[in-house]
Amino acid sequence: MIGGLLFGVFVLLIVVGAPIGVAMGLAAMAAVAAANVDQSWFGLLAASQNALAGIEKYPLMALPMFVLVGSIFDRSGVAQRMVNFATACVGRGPGMLPAVAISVAMVLGGISGSSVANAAAVGGVMIGAMGRAGYPAPFAVSVVGAAAATDVLIPPSIAFVVYSVIVPSASVPALFAAGMIPGILAGIALIVPAVLLSRRHGFGARDQALPKPPFWKSLAEASWGLAAPVLILGGMRIGLFTPTEAAVAAVVYGLFVGMVVHKTLRLRDLPGMFREAAEVSAVIMTVIALASIFSYSVNTLGLADPIVHGIQALGLGSFGTMCLVIFAVLIVGTVLEGVPIFLIFLPVLAPLMQAFQWDTVWFGVLLTMAMAIGCFTPPLGVNLLVACRMSGVGVEKTLPWAAWLVATFVLAMVAVMVMPGLATWLPRSLGY
Amino acid sequence: MSGILPVDGSGIEQLSAEAGDQPCWHVEDVVATVCMALLMLITLANVVVRYFSEMSFAWTEEVSVIVMVLMVFAGAAGAAIRNQHIRIDLFSNRGSQARQRGMALVSLGATVVVFATLAVLLGRTAFDEIRYEELNTLNLPRWWVSVPEALLCALVAVRALGIRMRRAKESS
Amino acid sequence: QGALKSEYRMSSVLPPAFAWGRAAETWARLMREGGQGRMNVKAYPGASLVQGDATRELTALRQGAIDLVCGSPSNWSGTARELGCFSLPFLFPDHKALDAVLNNSAFVSQYFDAVRRAGLEPLALGETGFRQLSNSKRPVHSPADLKGMKLRLPPSPMMSDTFQELGANPTVMSWADAQPALASGAVDGCENPMELFFASKMNMLGQKYVTKWNYMNEVLLFAVSRSTWEGLGKDERALLRDSAQAAAKAQIAEVRKFFAEDLRQAAAVNVAVYEPTPAQLQEFTVSTRRSYARWKAQISPTLVGAIEQIVQNSRKA
Ligand code: NA
Ligand code: NA
């Protein structure tokens, strides 16, 4: 009954287009009030307590800092120089520019924690370049959108920061390390179809005529950007920085590169960048705060238990249940993505994880892979939308190309599902 | 991260805005921006001080968390003005004008109820904190933080209402 | 006195894998059984009723969001500082001293009055266990060995003060960040009850040296919010108190059994445990005297003074 109220209000508000956090918060407040009519203030004082406790967590500080890093590197001019260098490495010809776009997105993924900033940075350089070389815009947009999705797996990643805050037994450094190999795997899984599709359809034939950038000069210019992931990941590895501090170090480094080295940033750009990062972080963290009320209500009103028991009663076993869960996340991911997916699913997934004794780090990587796929599945995928806006292409036109990339990304995810070592080997050997 | 922008992508103009654009600065935008800069500076100062003196200051974490929460509520108010909160408008963008308007009203009502309720609850908590003379780990009265939080929550509700009234005026 | 609630929510910090969490479970079970099903009590470990933030437990109790608590009052130091009077460094040299305090009815009633002032009805006291120092660098016999050692501490200004005065280099971080920091060598050591040390396999994180110096022991308070207490009848109140006391007794016995066996357990995993001599302990105590005095004044000179008196008398006996 109260479960129905919670679910009903939530779905109704989502359908009418209310903010996702508001839908979770109001549904939860209604359920808490209905269950506590005999209490003072209908038991709602727990709502504000939980909303605040949900975001008053120091580890969450990494989130606004990594958003800021993404925003700064988006404008620092390192993406263009990395593209030149990558082109100098792989050369020109059909399929080479998509491979360059994906590789650069992966390296930028080692700096930024957010796939949207990545899509904006890579898209800003590559969509135009691919268009000039003869790639159809819907194809270019799909490649950029999918490539940017690797950002949530390759450390640093805001997704892992949020997951760790909700599932404390999975630490941020362990998750960061665990995302590395699956992230590279996903990148390879995208490069292969992108190259094959280009060759088969003869895309990028005009590319061959263009001159190849000189190797050493482009390496020198790209080195500032290439050094950033080393600074961030290396600094964390040797214990110089916590994840939050690594992000701040990257901010300072990115400002230096953008303002002094590449001169793409001016002092008067700073307030706008800080403001944008503050608002983007606030939007995500508002959902986290309000979702904490949601998880409180699911927790105290005993709503998760019946769902968990119901799933267990299906008798699918550990692997079958995991397939079911990931499938559900993928389906919901077509219309929704990112942090909200975690927040909606985790109150139920946490007890399931416990019941089947899934490794919390491994499962976090799988969940994040499913979430990453949602970022570039039409009709609603935030990376895809960023890239579409840049090129003026309608999202529906990307379906024939995005479908291939979704399919191969899913294969990479299945590989991590079947071979947990792909995720757990690195954190284990680093001693996390 | 995905989900950084509204799922309908309506924040993208802002993301790719030309550096020369001067968007309108509301008071909450200033608060959020200053909080963001403070967060960066505090953490940076901590790293530098620790590097040179092997000391670390626990209280800076407490301060950072307080600043971060204020940034969240201020940023939420700013996002309410520009309609930037993450939502799905797959369904609410369809159907007749009247149906769309009805859906928008329900959505607005929900937003106002949630943030107004939070403001009242936080106000009530602040009242308790004053009554019990509660201190935070910085040894400062807790209500110094919860009163601004309550006010910013109320501001989110006010901003959400404001944008609706402005639109109603424009359309009439 | 009103009707019974459909569910009474109990907050506890550690899960049932620990004596603390088992005590919460036991208490809840005893109430359910003793009330023949009339009292439906559920324990929520991990402070999950307040999103894992144990410092909010007391406020949530006062506001009615939590009914019962099996918790450590030092977590609520911002809200009710004097309740943390047990957690000063080197206050109890051993269990004999702790027992002398916990069995002193005059002191306990004085402490319970303070709990009532904070808005709770106290029912029983357990113990969270003596906290010991561990590190990856060297055996610690005296403050000189601690010099410059990077130690992870939970967010407690008093602990930071204490270790700074001991010459160490304290770094405050959450428990989740602590393990990778220990593994990567970003910090050298930490301080925990040995139960936590073994449960989280700290020896696998390079923590080879333990100093069993009994520097701090915090009580485990079994209490009920005032509004919930006032809504209960005489029978339920008696049930609440009796079951809390039974659970606390069992909890203390478990902690003591563990304490007695931890040397053997450490030897089995090649962890070197050093037990400082009385003279060395005195050296540690003396070097933390300034922060001790500062925090005694802040927490409650009366309550801490009473504890000191009882401990001193127990030494003579
Ligand atoms: Na990344
Ligand atoms: Na999607």
Side-chain angles (χ1 to χ4, degrees), chain A residues 36 38-40 45-46 49-50 52-54 56-57 59 168 171-173 237-239 292 295-296 299-301 305 430-432, chain C residues 4-7 9 42 44 48-53 56 59-60 63-65 67 150 173-174 176-177 179-180 183-184 186 205:
Chain A
N36 292 290
D38 52 341
Q39 305 250 348
S40 66
L45 285 160
Q49 285 283 345
N50 275 274
L52 277 183
E56 273 187 2
K57 290 179 169 157
S171 77
V172 172
R237 172 68 198 113
I238 61 170
S292 304
S295 79
Y296 167 81
N299 187 8
T300 55
L301 305 176
D305 294 356
L430 290 173
Y432 293 152
Chain C
L4 290 179
K5 293 191 192 182
S6 54
E7 182 187 91
R9 290 171 196 144
K42 188 170 174 202
Y44 290 87
S48 63
L49 293 170
V50 280
Q51 300 294 315
D53 183 357
R56 291 180 178 276
T59 312
Q63 295 188 334
D67 298 298
K150 275 199 216 162
M173 59 179 77
S174 69
D177 287 337
Q179 282 162 308
S184 69
L205 302 174

Coordinates of all heavy atoms in Angstrom, one line a residue, chain A residues 36 38-40 45-46 49-50 52-54 56-57 59 168 171-173 237-239 292 295-296 299-301 305 430-432, chain C residues 4-7 9 42 44 48-53 56 59-60 63-65 67 150 173-174 176-177 179-180 183-184 186 205:
Chain A
N36 N 3.7 7.4 9.0 CA 3.9 7.9 10.4 C 2.9 8.9 10.8 O 3.2 9.9 11.4 CB 5.3 8.6 10.4 CG 6.5 7.6 10.3 OD1 6.7 6.8 11.2 ND2 7.1 7.6 9.1
D38 N 0.9 8.9 13.1 CA 0.8 9.1 14.6 C 2.0 9.8 15.2 O 2.0 10.1 16.4 CB 0.7 7.7 15.2 CG 1.8 6.7 14.8 OD1 2.4 7.0 13.8 OD2 2.0 5.7 15.5
Q39 N 3.0 10.2 14.3 CA 4.2 10.8 14.9 C 4.1 12.3 14.8 O 3.4 12.9 14.0 CB 5.4 10.3 14.1 CG 5.5 8.8 14.0 CD 6.7 8.3 14.8 OE1 7.5 9.1 15.3 NE2 6.7 7.0 15.1
S40 N 5.0 13.0 15.5 CA 5.1 14.4 15.4 C 5.6 14.8 14.0 O 6.6 14.1 13.5 CB 6.0 15.0 16.5 OG 7.3 14.6 16.3
L45 N 10.6 15.0 9.9 CA 11.9 15.6 10.3 C 13.1 14.7 9.9 O 14.2 15.2 9.6 CB 11.9 15.9 11.8 CG 11.1 17.1 12.2 CD1 10.7 17.1 13.6 CD2 11.8 18.4 11.8
A46 N 12.8 13.4 9.7 CA 13.8 12.5 9.2 C 14.2 12.9 7.8 O 15.3 12.6 7.3 CB 13.4 11.1 9.3
Q49 N 16.8 15.6 7.7 CA 18.0 15.1 8.3 C 18.7 14.2 7.2 O 19.9 14.3 7.1 CB 17.7 14.2 9.5 CG 17.3 14.9 10.7 CD 18.5 15.5 11.4 OE1 19.7 15.1 11.1 NE2 18.3 16.5 12.3
N50 N 17.9 13.4 6.6 CA 18.5 12.5 5.6 C 19.0 13.2 4.3 O 20.0 12.8 3.8 CB 17.6 11.3 5.2 CG 17.6 10.2 6.2 OD1 18.4 9.3 6.1 ND2 16.8 10.3 7.3
L52 N 20.2 16.2 4.2 CA 21.5 16.8 4.5 C 22.6 15.8 4.7 O 23.7 15.9 4.1 CB 21.3 17.7 5.7 CG 20.8 19.1 5.6 CD1 20.8 19.8 6.9 CD2 21.6 19.9 4.6
A53 N 22.3 14.7 5.4 CA 23.3 13.7 5.7 C 23.8 13.1 4.4 O 24.9 12.7 4.3 CB 22.7 12.7 6.7
G54 N 22.9 13.1 3.4 CA 23.2 12.4 2.1 C 24.3 13.2 1.4 O 25.1 12.6 0.6
E56 N 26.3 15.8 3.1 CA 27.3 16.4 4.0 C 28.4 15.3 4.2 O 28.6 14.8 5.3 CB 26.7 16.7 5.4 CG 26.1 18.1 5.4 CD 25.7 18.5 6.8 OE1 25.9 17.7 7.8 OE2 25.2 19.6 6.9
K57 N 29.1 14.9 3.1 CA 30.1 13.9 3.2 C 31.3 14.4 2.5 O 31.3 14.7 1.3 CB 29.6 12.6 2.5 CG 28.4 12.0 3.3 CD 27.9 10.8 2.6 CE 27.0 10.1 3.6 NZ 26.0 9.2 2.9
P59 N 33.9 12.9 1.2 CA 34.4 12.3 0.0 C 33.6 12.8 -1.3 O 34.2 12.8 -2.4 CB 34.0 10.8 0.2 CG 34.1 10.6 1.7 CD 33.6 11.9 2.2
P168 N 29.8 2.1 0.9 CA 31.1 2.5 1.5 C 32.1 1.4 1.4 O 33.3 1.7 1.4 CB 30.7 2.8 2.9 CG 29.3 3.1 3.0 CD 28.7 2.2 1.9
S171 N 35.9 1.4 -2.0 CA 36.5 2.7 -1.8 C 36.8 3.3 -3.2 O 36.8 2.6 -4.2 CB 37.8 2.5 -1.1 OG 38.8 2.0 -2.0
V172 N 36.9 4.6 -3.2 CA 37.1 5.4 -4.4 C 38.4 4.9 -5.2 O 38.3 4.6 -6.4 CB 37.1 6.9 -4.2 CG1 37.5 7.6 -5.5 CG2 35.8 7.4 -3.7
P173 N 39.5 4.8 -4.5 CA 40.7 4.3 -5.2 C 40.5 2.9 -5.8 O 41.0 2.7 -6.9 CB 41.8 4.4 -4.2 CG 41.4 5.4 -3.2 CD 39.9 5.2 -3.1
R237 N 48.1 7.4 -6.9 CA 48.7 6.1 -6.6 C 49.8 6.2 -5.6 O 49.9 5.3 -4.7 CB 49.3 5.6 -8.0 CG 50.1 4.3 -7.9 CD 49.3 3.1 -7.4 NE 50.1 2.0 -6.9 CZ 50.1 1.6 -5.7 NH1 49.3 2.2 -4.8 NH2 50.9 0.6 -5.3
I238 N 50.7 7.2 -5.7 CA 51.8 7.2 -4.7 C 51.4 7.9 -3.4 O 52.2 8.1 -2.6 CB 53.1 7.9 -5.3 CG1 52.7 9.4 -5.7 CG2 53.6 7.2 -6.5 CD1 54.0 10.2 -6.0
G239 N 50.1 8.2 -3.3 CA 49.7 8.7 -2.0 C 49.9 10.1 -1.8 O 49.8 10.7 -0.7
S292 N 18.3 10.6 -1.0 CA 18.6 10.1 0.3 C 17.3 9.9 1.1 O 17.2 9.0 1.9 CB 19.6 11.0 1.1 OG 20.7 11.2 0.3
S295 N 15.9 6.7 -0.3 CA 16.5 5.5 0.2 C 16.1 5.3 1.6 O 15.9 4.1 2.1 CB 18.0 5.5 0.0 OG 18.6 6.3 0.9
Y296 N 16.0 6.4 2.4 CA 15.5 6.3 3.8 C 14.1 5.6 3.8 O 13.9 4.7 4.6 CB 15.5 7.6 4.5 CG 14.8 7.7 5.8 CD1 15.4 7.2 6.9 CD2 13.4 8.1 5.9 CE1 14.7 7.2 8.2 CE2 12.8 8.1 7.1 CZ 13.4 7.7 8.2 OH 12.7 7.7 9.4
N299 N 14.3 2.0 3.0 CA 14.9 1.3 4.0 C 14.0 1.1 5.2 O 13.8 0.0 5.7 CB 16.2 2.1 4.4 CG 17.1 1.4 5.4 OD1 16.9 0.3 5.7 ND2 18.1 2.2 5.9
T300 N 13.4 2.2 5.7 CA 12.6 2.0 6.9 C 11.2 1.5 6.7 O 10.6 0.9 7.6 CB 12.4 3.4 7.6 OG1 11.9 4.3 6.7 CG2 13.8 3.9 8.1
L301 N 10.7 1.7 5.5 CA 9.3 1.2 5.3 C 9.3 -0.3 4.8 O 8.3 -0.9 4.5 CB 8.5 2.0 4.3 CG 8.5 3.5 4.7 CD1 7.8 4.4 3.6 CD2 7.8 3.7 6.0
D305 N 12.8 -5.3 0.9 CA 12.8 -6.8 1.2 C 11.9 -7.6 0.3 O 12.3 -8.6 -0.3 CB 12.4 -7.0 2.7 CG 13.4 -6.5 3.6 OD1 14.4 -6.0 3.1 OD2 13.2 -6.5 4.8
L430 N 47.2 -3.7 -6.8 CA 47.6 -2.4 -6.2 C 47.5 -2.4 -4.7 O 47.8 -1.5 -4.0 CB 46.9 -1.2 -6.8 CG 47.2 -0.9 -8.3 CD1 46.3 0.2 -8.8 CD2 48.7 -0.5 -8.4
G431 N 46.8 -3.5 -4.2 CA 46.6 -3.6 -2.7 C 45.5 -2.8 -2.2 O 45.4 -2.5 -1.0
Y432 N 44.5 -2.4 -3.0 CA 43.3 -1.7 -2.5 C 42.3 -2.6 -1.9 O 41.6 -3.3 -2.6 CB 42.7 -0.8 -3.6 CG 43.6 0.3 -4.0 CD1 43.5 0.8 -5.3 CD2 44.5 0.9 -3.2 CE1 44.3 1.9 -5.8 CE2 45.4 1.9 -3.6 CZ 45.3 2.4 -4.9 OH 46.1 3.4 -5.3
Chain C
L4 N 1.0 1.2 21.1 CA 2.4 0.9 20.7 C 2.6 1.2 19.2 O 1.6 1.2 18.4 CB 2.7 -0.6 20.9 CG 2.8 -1.0 22.4 CD1 3.0 -2.5 22.5 CD2 3.9 -0.3 23.1
K5 N 3.8 1.6 18.8 CA 4.0 1.9 17.4 C 4.1 0.6 16.6 O 4.4 -0.5 17.2 CB 5.4 2.6 17.3 CG 5.4 4.0 17.9 CD 6.6 4.7 17.4 CE 6.9 6.0 18.2 NZ 8.1 6.7 17.8
S6 N 3.9 0.7 15.3 CA 4.0 -0.5 14.5 C 5.5 -1.0 14.4 O 5.7 -2.1 14.2 CB 3.5 -0.2 13.1 OG 4.1 0.9 12.5
E7 N 6.4 0.0 14.5 CA 7.8 -0.4 14.5 C 8.6 0.5 15.3 O 8.4 1.7 15.2 CB 8.4 -0.5 13.0 CG 9.9 -1.0 13.0 CD 10.5 -0.9 11.6 OE1 11.1 0.2 11.3 OE2 10.4 -1.9 10.9
R9 N 12.4 1.8 15.8 CA 13.6 1.8 15.0 C 14.8 2.0 15.9 O 14.9 3.0 16.6 CB 13.6 2.9 13.9 CG 12.6 2.6 12.9 CD 12.4 3.7 11.9 NE 11.2 3.4 11.2 CZ 10.3 4.3 10.8 NH1 10.5 5.6 11.1 NH2 9.2 3.9 10.1
K42 N 13.3 -3.1 15.3 CA 14.2 -3.4 14.2 C 15.5 -2.6 14.3 O 15.4 -1.4 14.5 CB 13.5 -3.2 12.9 CG 14.4 -3.7 11.7 CD 13.7 -3.7 10.4 CE 14.6 -4.1 9.3 NZ 14.3 -3.7 8.0
Y44 N 18.8 -1.1 12.8 CA 19.3 -0.6 11.5 C 20.8 -0.3 11.7 O 21.2 0.7 12.2 CB 18.6 0.7 11.1 CG 17.2 0.5 10.6 CD1 16.2 0.5 11.6 CD2 16.9 0.2 9.3 CE1 14.9 0.3 11.1 CE2 15.6 0.1 8.9 CZ 14.6 0.1 9.8 OH 13.3 -0.1 9.4
S48 N 22.2 3.6 9.3 CA 21.5 3.8 8.0 C 20.3 4.7 8.1 O 19.8 5.2 7.1 CB 21.2 2.5 7.3 OG 20.3 1.8 8.1
L49 N 19.8 4.9 9.3 CA 18.6 5.8 9.5 C 19.0 7.2 9.3 O 18.1 8.1 9.1 CB 18.0 5.6 10.9 CG 17.3 4.2 11.1 CD1 16.9 4.0 12.6 CD2 16.1 4.1 10.2
V50 N 20.3 7.5 9.4 CA 20.8 8.9 9.2 C 21.9 8.9 8.1 O 22.9 9.6 8.2 CB 21.3 9.6 10.5 CG1 20.1 10.1 11.3 CG2 22.1 8.6 11.3
Q51 N 21.7 8.1 7.0 CA 22.6 8.0 5.9 C 24.0 7.7 6.4 O 25.0 8.3 5.8 CB 22.5 9.3 5.1 CG 21.2 9.6 4.5 CD 20.7 8.5 3.5 OE1 21.5 8.1 2.6 NE2 19.5 8.0 3.6
G52 N 24.2 7.0 7.4 CA 25.5 6.6 7.8 C 26.3 7.6 8.7 O 27.4 7.4 9.0
D53 N 25.6 8.8 8.9 CA 26.2 9.9 9.6 C 25.9 9.8 11.1 O 24.9 10.3 11.6 CB 25.8 11.2 9.0 CG 26.5 12.4 9.7 OD1 27.2 12.2 10.6 OD2 26.2 13.5 9.2
R56 N 24.5 12.4 13.6 CA 23.2 12.9 13.6 C 22.2 12.1 14.4 O 21.0 12.4 14.5 CB 22.6 12.9 12.1 CG 23.3 13.9 11.3 CD 22.7 13.9 9.9 NE 23.4 15.0 9.1 CZ 23.0 16.2 9.1 NH1 21.9 16.6 9.8 NH2 23.6 17.2 8.5
T59 N 20.3 14.0 17.3 CA 19.2 14.9 16.8 C 18.0 14.1 16.3 O 16.9 14.5 16.5 CB 19.8 15.8 15.6 OG1 21.1 16.3 16.1 CG2 18.9 16.9 15.3
A60 N 18.3 13.0 15.6 CA 17.2 12.2 15.0 C 16.4 11.6 16.2 O 15.2 11.4 16.1 CB 17.8 11.1 14.1
Q63 N 14.2 14.2 17.5 CA 13.1 14.6 16.6 C 12.2 13.4 16.4 O 11.2 13.6 15.6 CB 13.7 15.1 15.3 CG 14.5 16.4 15.5 CD 14.9 17.0 14.2 OE1 15.0 16.3 13.2 NE2 15.1 18.3 14.2
G64 N 12.5 12.2 16.9 CA 11.5 11.1 16.8 C 11.8 10.3 15.6 O 11.0 9.4 15.3
A65 N 12.9 10.6 14.8 CA 13.2 9.7 13.6 C 13.8 8.4 14.0 O 13.8 7.5 13.2 CB 14.0 10.5 12.6
D67 N 14.0 5.7 17.5 CA 13.4 5.5 18.8 C 14.4 5.0 19.8 O 14.4 5.5 20.9 CB 12.3 4.4 18.7 CG 11.2 4.8 17.7 OD1 10.5 5.8 18.1 OD2 11.0 4.1 16.7
K150 N 52.8 9.2 10.1 CA 51.5 9.6 9.5 C 50.4 8.7 10.0 O 50.5 7.5 9.7 CB 51.6 9.6 8.0 CG 52.1 10.9 7.5 CD 51.7 11.0 6.0 CE 52.8 11.7 5.2 NZ 52.6 11.4 3.8
M173 N 40.7 11.1 8.0 CA 40.0 10.6 6.8 C 38.9 9.6 7.1 O 38.9 9.1 8.2 CB 40.9 10.0 5.8 CG 41.8 8.9 6.2 SD 42.8 8.2 4.9 CE 44.1 9.4 5.0
S174 N 38.0 9.4 6.2 CA 36.9 8.5 6.5 C 37.4 7.1 6.5 O 38.5 6.8 6.0 CB 35.8 8.7 5.4 OG 36.3 8.2 4.2
A176 N 36.4 4.6 4.8 CA 36.5 4.0 3.4 C 37.8 4.5 2.8 O 38.4 3.7 2.0 CB 35.3 4.5 2.6
D177 N 38.3 5.7 3.0 CA 39.5 6.2 2.4 C 40.7 5.6 3.2 O 41.8 5.6 2.6 CB 39.6 7.7 2.5 CG 38.7 8.3 1.5 OD1 38.3 7.7 0.5 OD2 38.3 9.5 1.7
Q179 N 41.5 2.5 4.2 CA 42.1 1.3 3.8 C 43.1 1.4 2.5 O 44.2 1.0 2.6 CB 41.0 0.2 3.5 CG 40.6 -0.3 4.9 CD 39.3 -1.0 4.8 OE1 38.3 -0.5 4.4 NE2 39.2 -2.2 5.3
P180 N 42.6 2.1 1.5 CA 43.5 2.3 0.4 C 44.7 3.2 0.8 O 45.8 3.0 0.3 CB 42.7 3.0 -0.7 CG 41.4 3.4 -0.1 CD 41.2 2.5 1.1
A183 N 47.1 0.9 2.4 CA 47.6 0.0 1.4 C 48.7 0.6 0.6 O 49.7 0.0 0.3 CB 46.5 -0.6 0.5
S184 N 48.5 1.9 0.2 CA 49.5 2.6 -0.7 C 50.6 3.2 0.1 O 51.5 3.8 -0.5 CB 48.7 3.6 -1.5 OG 48.3 4.7 -0.7
A186 N 50.2 5.8 2.0 CA 50.0 7.3 2.1 C 49.9 7.6 3.6 O 50.3 8.7 4.0 CB 48.7 7.7 1.5
L205 N 47.2 -5.0 5.2 CA 47.5 -3.7 4.7 C 48.8 -3.2 5.2 O 49.1 -2.0 5.3 CB 46.4 -2.7 5.1 CG 45.0 -3.1 4.6 CD1 43.9 -2.2 5.2 CD2 44.9 -3.1 3.1

